Protein backbone atom coordinates (compact mmCIF):
# COMPACT_ATOMS: atom_id res chain seq x y z
CA UNK A 1 0.00 0.00 0.00
CA UNK A 2 2.85 2.43 0.85
CA UNK A 3 6.25 2.83 -0.80
CA UNK A 4 8.78 4.46 1.53
CA UNK A 5 11.39 6.60 -0.25
CA UNK A 6 14.61 7.15 1.73
CA UNK A 7 17.33 9.08 -0.12
CA UNK A 8 20.70 9.57 1.51
CA UNK A 9 24.05 11.26 1.02
CA UNK A 10 26.81 10.81 3.60
CA UNK A 11 24.52 10.18 6.58
CA UNK A 12 26.31 7.39 8.45
CA UNK A 13 25.83 9.11 11.83
CA UNK A 14 22.03 9.05 11.52
CA UNK A 15 20.96 6.28 9.13
CA UNK A 16 20.67 3.63 11.87
CA UNK A 17 17.91 5.69 13.51
CA UNK A 18 15.98 5.74 10.23
CA UNK A 19 16.51 1.99 9.72
CA UNK A 20 15.40 1.13 13.26
CA UNK A 21 12.26 3.22 12.84
CA UNK A 22 11.39 1.32 9.66
CA UNK A 23 12.04 -2.06 11.24
CA UNK A 24 9.87 -1.14 14.24
CA UNK A 25 6.72 -0.60 12.16
CA UNK A 26 3.81 -2.53 13.68
CA UNK A 27 2.07 -3.26 10.44
CA UNK A 28 0.78 -6.16 8.40
CA UNK A 29 3.65 -7.60 6.39
CA UNK A 30 3.52 -6.90 2.70
CA UNK A 31 1.84 -3.54 3.25
CA UNK A 32 4.90 -1.45 2.50
CA UNK A 33 8.25 -1.45 0.75
CA UNK A 34 11.41 0.56 1.38
CA UNK A 35 13.48 2.13 -1.39
CA UNK A 36 16.90 3.46 -0.39
CA UNK A 37 18.54 5.79 -2.91
CA UNK A 38 22.27 6.36 -2.62
CA UNK A 39 22.75 9.85 -4.04
CA UNK A 40 26.50 9.66 -4.54
CA UNK A 41 27.56 8.94 -0.95
CA UNK A 42 31.26 8.72 -0.23
CA UNK A 43 31.10 7.60 3.41
CA UNK A 44 29.98 4.21 4.79
CA UNK A 45 26.22 4.84 4.82
CA UNK A 46 25.67 2.26 2.07
CA UNK A 47 27.62 -0.39 3.97
CA UNK A 48 25.47 0.21 7.05
CA UNK A 49 22.30 -0.21 4.99
CA UNK A 50 23.57 -3.38 3.32
CA UNK A 51 24.35 -4.92 6.73
CA UNK A 52 20.74 -4.27 7.79
CA UNK A 53 19.01 -5.56 4.66
CA UNK A 54 18.85 -9.08 6.15
CA UNK A 55 16.70 -7.69 8.97
CA UNK A 56 14.19 -6.34 6.46
CA UNK A 57 14.16 -9.70 4.68
CA UNK A 58 13.47 -11.55 7.93
CA UNK A 59 10.43 -9.31 8.46
CA UNK A 60 9.26 -9.85 4.85
CA UNK A 61 9.73 -6.18 4.02
CA UNK A 62 10.62 -5.65 0.37
CA UNK A 63 13.62 -3.39 -0.13
CA UNK A 64 15.45 -1.82 -3.04
CA UNK A 65 18.87 -0.15 -2.93
CA UNK A 66 19.51 2.13 -5.89
CA UNK A 67 22.83 3.87 -6.60
CA UNK A 68 23.18 7.04 -8.66
CA UNK A 69 25.51 9.99 -9.12
CA UNK A 70 24.74 12.87 -6.80
CA UNK A 71 21.87 14.91 -8.19
CA UNK A 72 20.25 16.33 -5.07
CA UNK A 73 17.35 15.32 -2.89
CA UNK A 74 14.69 16.03 -5.52
CA UNK A 75 16.43 13.89 -8.11
CA UNK A 76 16.86 11.06 -5.59
CA UNK A 77 13.22 11.17 -4.48
CA UNK A 78 12.06 11.14 -8.09
CA UNK A 79 14.17 8.03 -8.68
CA UNK A 80 12.44 6.39 -5.73
CA UNK A 81 8.97 7.34 -6.93
CA UNK A 82 9.67 6.00 -10.43
CA UNK A 83 10.79 2.67 -8.94
CA UNK A 84 7.91 2.36 -6.45
CA UNK A 85 5.11 -0.19 -6.73
CA UNK A 86 2.43 1.13 -4.36
CA UNK A 87 -0.22 3.84 -4.73
CA UNK A 88 0.94 5.91 -1.77
CA UNK A 89 4.37 7.41 -1.17
CA UNK A 90 5.97 8.16 2.20
CA UNK A 91 9.21 10.10 2.40
CA UNK A 92 11.78 9.44 5.11
CA UNK A 93 14.87 11.62 5.29
CA UNK A 94 17.92 9.64 6.33
CA UNK A 95 18.43 11.67 9.53
CA UNK A 96 14.85 11.24 10.76
CA UNK A 97 13.08 8.40 12.61
CA UNK A 98 9.51 7.16 12.63
CA UNK A 99 7.64 5.78 15.61
CA UNK A 100 6.45 2.20 15.37
CA UNK A 101 2.78 2.87 14.64
CA UNK A 102 3.28 5.62 12.03
CA UNK A 103 2.53 3.61 8.88
CA UNK A 104 -0.38 1.70 10.38
CA UNK A 105 -2.03 4.93 11.51
CA UNK A 106 -1.73 6.25 7.97
CA UNK A 107 -3.03 3.04 6.40
CA UNK A 108 -6.06 3.08 8.70
CA UNK A 109 -6.87 6.62 7.56
CA UNK A 110 -6.40 5.70 3.89
CA UNK A 111 -8.74 2.73 4.26
CA UNK A 112 -11.39 4.89 5.92
CA UNK A 113 -11.15 7.88 3.54
CA UNK A 114 -9.58 6.57 0.35
CA UNK A 115 -11.65 8.61 -2.09
CA UNK A 116 -11.59 11.83 -0.05
CA UNK A 117 -7.89 12.34 0.71
CA UNK A 118 -4.60 12.42 -1.14
CA UNK A 119 -2.20 13.58 1.57
CA UNK A 120 -1.70 12.71 5.24
CA UNK A 121 0.56 14.69 7.56
CA UNK A 122 1.45 14.28 11.23
CA UNK A 123 3.41 16.04 13.95
CA UNK A 124 7.08 15.43 14.78
CA UNK A 125 9.37 15.78 17.78
CA UNK A 126 12.38 17.98 17.07
CA UNK A 127 15.39 16.74 19.03
CA UNK A 128 18.25 19.22 19.33
CA UNK A 129 21.92 18.36 19.77
CA UNK A 130 21.64 19.15 23.49
CA UNK A 131 18.70 16.67 23.72
CA UNK A 132 16.15 19.40 24.34
CA UNK A 133 12.94 18.89 22.38
CA UNK A 134 9.95 20.71 20.95
CA UNK A 135 6.88 19.58 19.07
CA UNK A 136 6.56 20.50 15.40
CA UNK A 137 2.90 21.00 14.45
CA UNK A 138 2.78 20.03 10.78
CA UNK A 139 -0.15 20.67 8.47
CA UNK A 140 -1.82 23.45 10.44
CA UNK A 141 -3.33 26.03 8.09
CA UNK A 142 -4.02 29.45 9.52
CA UNK A 143 -5.46 31.09 6.41
CA UNK A 144 -8.45 30.66 4.12
CA UNK A 145 -6.84 28.19 1.73
CA UNK A 146 -4.11 25.57 1.92
CA UNK A 147 -2.34 27.37 -0.92
CA UNK A 148 -2.15 30.72 0.85
CA UNK A 149 -1.18 29.10 4.13
CA UNK A 150 1.69 27.17 2.54
CA UNK A 151 2.87 30.22 0.62
CA UNK A 152 3.08 32.24 3.81
CA UNK A 153 4.77 29.43 5.74
CA UNK A 154 5.64 25.84 4.90
CA UNK A 155 3.95 23.61 7.48
CA UNK A 156 4.71 20.35 5.67
CA UNK A 157 7.72 18.34 6.81
CA UNK A 158 8.76 15.85 4.14
CA UNK A 159 9.31 12.95 6.56
CA UNK A 160 5.81 13.53 7.96
CA UNK A 161 4.06 13.24 4.58
CA UNK A 162 2.22 10.31 3.01
CA UNK A 163 0.88 11.31 -0.40
CA UNK A 164 -0.95 9.63 -3.26
CA UNK A 165 1.53 8.82 -6.03
CA UNK A 166 -0.94 9.80 -8.74
CA UNK A 167 -0.95 13.47 -7.74
CA UNK A 168 2.86 13.57 -7.74
CA UNK A 169 3.04 12.11 -11.23
CA UNK A 170 0.28 14.38 -12.54
CA UNK A 171 2.30 17.40 -11.35
CA UNK A 172 5.65 16.16 -12.73
CA UNK A 173 7.30 15.15 -9.46
CA UNK A 174 10.06 17.19 -7.74
CA UNK A 175 11.81 20.00 -9.58
CA UNK A 176 15.30 18.59 -10.11
CA UNK A 177 16.72 21.99 -11.08
CA UNK A 178 16.36 23.20 -7.50
CA UNK A 179 19.21 22.21 -5.19
CA UNK A 180 17.19 23.04 -2.07
CA UNK A 181 13.54 23.53 -1.10
CA UNK A 182 12.39 21.02 -3.74
CA UNK A 183 9.83 19.65 -1.33
CA UNK A 184 8.38 23.08 -0.52
CA UNK A 185 8.09 23.93 -4.21
CA UNK A 186 6.24 20.67 -4.89
CA UNK A 187 3.82 21.17 -1.98
CA UNK A 188 2.98 24.62 -3.34
CA UNK A 189 2.57 23.30 -6.88
CA UNK A 190 0.12 20.58 -5.87
CA UNK A 191 -1.61 22.60 -3.11
CA UNK A 192 -4.71 23.58 -5.17
CA UNK A 193 -5.47 19.86 -5.60
CA UNK A 194 -4.78 18.72 -2.04
CA UNK A 195 -7.25 16.95 0.23
CA UNK A 196 -5.41 16.78 3.53
CA UNK A 197 -5.89 14.77 6.70
CA UNK A 198 -3.81 15.95 9.64
CA UNK A 199 -2.97 13.47 12.41
CA UNK A 200 -2.72 15.39 15.68
CA UNK A 201 -0.05 13.06 17.01
CA UNK A 202 3.74 12.82 17.09
CA UNK A 203 4.63 9.94 14.76
CA UNK A 204 8.20 10.87 13.90
CA UNK A 205 11.38 12.38 15.27
CA UNK A 206 13.53 14.97 13.52
CA UNK A 207 17.11 15.17 14.77
CA UNK A 208 19.18 18.33 14.57
CA UNK A 209 22.21 17.66 12.38
CA UNK A 210 24.97 20.19 13.13
CA UNK A 211 26.81 19.23 9.92
CA UNK A 212 23.81 18.96 7.64
CA UNK A 213 23.90 22.44 6.11
CA UNK A 214 26.76 24.15 4.28
CA UNK A 215 27.40 27.73 3.34
CA UNK A 216 26.86 26.68 -0.28
CA UNK A 217 23.51 25.18 0.72
CA UNK A 218 22.41 28.42 2.35
CA UNK A 219 23.33 30.38 -0.76
CA UNK A 220 21.35 27.96 -2.92
CA UNK A 221 18.47 28.01 -0.46
CA UNK A 222 18.33 31.80 -0.59
CA UNK A 223 18.13 31.85 -4.39
CA UNK A 224 15.74 28.90 -4.56
CA UNK A 225 13.40 30.47 -2.01
CA UNK A 226 13.30 33.69 -4.01
CA UNK A 227 12.57 31.71 -7.18
CA UNK A 228 9.66 29.94 -5.46
CA UNK A 229 8.27 33.18 -4.03
CA UNK A 230 8.21 34.77 -7.50
CA UNK A 231 6.93 31.65 -9.28
CA UNK A 232 3.86 31.37 -7.03
CA UNK A 233 3.24 35.05 -6.36
CA UNK A 234 -0.14 34.70 -8.14
CA UNK A 235 -1.34 32.63 -5.18
CA UNK A 236 -1.44 35.66 -2.89
CA UNK A 237 -1.95 39.42 -2.76
CA UNK A 238 0.87 41.87 -3.45
CA UNK A 239 1.45 42.78 0.25
CA UNK A 240 1.83 39.11 1.16
CA UNK A 241 4.25 38.61 -1.73
CA UNK A 242 6.38 41.58 -0.61
CA UNK A 243 6.34 40.34 2.97
CA UNK A 244 7.47 36.90 1.78
CA UNK A 245 10.41 38.33 -0.15
CA UNK A 246 11.50 40.49 2.79
CA UNK A 247 11.26 37.51 5.09
CA UNK A 248 13.53 35.49 2.79
CA UNK A 249 16.11 38.29 2.46
CA UNK A 250 16.38 38.87 6.20
CA UNK A 251 16.11 35.22 7.27
CA UNK A 252 18.62 34.44 10.00
CA UNK A 253 19.65 31.20 8.27
CA UNK A 254 20.72 33.16 5.19
CA UNK A 255 22.70 35.58 7.35
CA UNK A 256 24.30 32.59 9.07
CA UNK A 257 25.09 31.08 5.67
CA UNK A 258 26.72 34.32 4.57
CA UNK A 259 28.91 34.12 7.65
CA UNK A 260 29.88 30.57 6.67
CA UNK A 261 30.83 31.74 3.19
CA UNK A 262 33.12 34.36 4.68
CA UNK A 263 34.69 31.92 7.16
CA UNK A 264 34.73 28.96 4.69
CA UNK A 265 32.90 26.62 7.08
CA UNK A 266 31.80 23.50 5.24
CA UNK A 267 29.80 20.34 5.81
CA UNK A 268 27.64 18.27 3.52
CA UNK A 269 24.35 18.98 1.84
CA UNK A 270 22.03 16.47 3.51
Amino acid sequence: MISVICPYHNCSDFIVNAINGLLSQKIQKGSFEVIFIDDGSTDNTTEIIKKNLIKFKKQNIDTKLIHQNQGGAGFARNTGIKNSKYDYIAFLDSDDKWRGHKLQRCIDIINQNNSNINLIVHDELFIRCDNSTRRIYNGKFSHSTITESLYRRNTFSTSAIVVKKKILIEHNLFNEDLMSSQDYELWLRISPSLKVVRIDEILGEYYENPHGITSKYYGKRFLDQLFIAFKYRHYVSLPIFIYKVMKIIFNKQWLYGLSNIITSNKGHNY
Side-chain angles (χ1 to χ4, degrees):
M1 179 170 283
I2 296 178
S3 295
V4 179
I5 311 299
C6 183
Y8 65 90
H9 176 80
N10 294 349
C11 204
S12 58
D13 291 340
F14 292 88
I15 193 64
V16 172
N17 279 335
I19 290 170
N20 289 340
L22 290 167
L23 292 169
S24 74
Q25 293 304 303
K26 299 175 178 64
I27 189 174
Q28 181 179 354
K29 306 309 176 187
S31 297
F32 77 105
E33 65 172 344
V34 181
I35 305 173
F36 294 103
I37 302 97
D38 170 17
D39 193 45
S41 283
T42 56
D43 69 354
N44 66 328
T45 308
T46 298
E47 285 69 28
I48 294 171
I49 291 173
K50 286 181 176 178
K51 288 179 181 177
N52 282 275
L53 289 182
I54 187 65
K55 297 179 182 178
F56 287 94
K57 187 175 181 179
K58 287 180 178 178
Q59 294 191 25
N60 296 315
I61 301 171
D62 289 339
T63 58
K64 296 186 180 92
L65 175 56
I66 300 171
H67 303 279
Q68 63 183 32
N69 294 328
Q70 186 177 7
F75 178 50
R77 290 179 185 131
N78 284 347
T79 297
I81 295 167
K82 293 172 184 176
N83 285 273
S84 64
K85 65 180 181 180
Y86 290 123
D87 292 335
Y88 283 84
I89 302 293
F91 300 103
L92 176 62
D93 287 348
S94 53
D95 51 0
D96 295 339
K97 182 180 181 180
W98 288 343
R99 297 189 173 178
H101 55 301
K102 181 252 176 68
L103 288 180
Q104 189 58 57
R105 288 281 284 115
C106 294
I107 287 175
D108 289 343
I109 289 173
I110 291 169
N111 288 335
Q112 294 165 11
N113 307 274
N114 191 32
S115 61
N116 298 316
I117 66 168
N118 52 27
L119 187 143
I120 301 167
V121 62
H122 59 76
D123 292 346
E124 295 174 301
L125 188 68
F126 177 45
I127 303 176
R128 298 183 179 87
C129 293
D130 62 3
N131 289 323
S132 62
T133 63
R134 70 176 176 87
R135 183 170 180 166
I136 300 175
Y137 292 90
N138 290 313
K140 283 201 167 186
F141 308 121
S142 54
H143 300 279
S144 57
T145 66
I146 294 175
T147 295
E148 181 181 345
S149 293
L150 285 175
Y151 186 92
R152 287 174 176 262
R153 178 175 173 267
N154 182 19
T155 59
F156 282 168
S157 172
T158 306
S159 291
I161 294 288
V162 174
V163 61
K164 204 164 191 174
K165 181 165 64 174
K166 181 180 178 181
I167 193 173
L168 300 179
I169 294 173
E170 288 175 344
H171 290 81
N172 300 315
L173 308 180
F174 290 90
N175 184 339
E176 297 177 4
D177 293 330
L178 295 175
M179 292 309 294
S180 71
S181 307
Q182 309 96 338
D183 48 355
Y184 179 45
E185 192 275 336
L186 180 58
W187 310 146
L188 274 175
R189 191 167 4 118
I190 68 176
S191 62
S193 303
L194 286 181
K195 301 174 183 177
V196 179
V197 169
R198 169 181 143 74
I199 302 175
D200 187 18
E201 186 178 351
I202 295 174
L203 297 178
E205 297 170 358
Y206 166 53
Y207 291 83
E208 183 178 20
N209 183 347
H211 305 296
I213 306 293
T214 65
S215 57
K216 179 180 177 182
Y217 175 90
Y218 275 123
K220 288 286 188 181
R221 180 179 175 84
F222 174 74
L223 295 175
D224 290 344
Q225 287 281 325
L226 283 178
F227 167 80
I228 293 168
F230 276 88
K231 182 176 181 179
Y232 296 102
R233 61 177 296 180
H234 61 282
Y235 280 176
V236 296
S237 65
L238 181 60
I240 295 173
F241 165 70
I242 294 173
Y243 172 79
K244 178 79 170 181
V245 171
M246 292 298 101
K247 185 177 179 181
I248 293 168
I249 292 173
F250 295 104
N251 187 287
K252 65 181 181 180
Q253 288 185 332
W254 160 241
L255 298 175
Y256 175 73
L258 182 63
S259 172
N260 280 351
I261 292 172
I262 296 171
T263 59
S264 298
N265 287 336
K266 295 182 179 180
H268 60 72
N269 284 343
Y270 282 53

